[in-house]
Amino acid sequence: MTEYTTMNNEEEEDKKSFIQRLRDSVLPIKPEDSGVKKVMKQIGFAAFLGVAGVVTALLAIAVSFAL
């Protein structure tokens, strides 16, 4: 029975989008978290995405100058 449950959980993970899987791995929101804590985690993840986007853009610019 655990094998089926494990396979079912893997199928659910495959159905999630890349952003949702990343969100769950960086700052997972637990059901017992308070409303304020959930909002702060959402803001923190948005900040993480912003910083990651800026760093990616800067690396792309640096590589384009190097070539």
Side-chain angles (χ1 to χ4, degrees), residues 2-67:
T2 14
E3 185 175 321
Y4 175 74
T5 307
T6 304
M7 289 180 66
N8 194 16
N9 289 341
E10 289 175 3
E11 288 176 7
E12 288 177 11
E13 284 291 321
D14 289 342
K15 291 179 184 177
K16 290 182 179 179
S17 69
F18 174 73
I19 296 294
Q20 186 61 40
R21 285 183 284 152
L22 182 64
R23 164 98 192 70
D24 290 341
S25 65
V26 173
L27 288 172
I29 295 178
K30 299 173 187 170
E32 62 269 6
D33 287 344
S34 67
V36 173
K37 193 170 188 178
K38 288 179 183 179
V39 170
M40 293 302 289
K41 285 185 176 184
Q42 292 286 2
I43 292 170
F45 182 68
F48 168 77
L49 281 181
V51 170
V54 168
V55 169
T56 302
L58 289 174
L59 285 172
I61 293 167
V63 168
S64 68
F65 278 124
L67 297 177

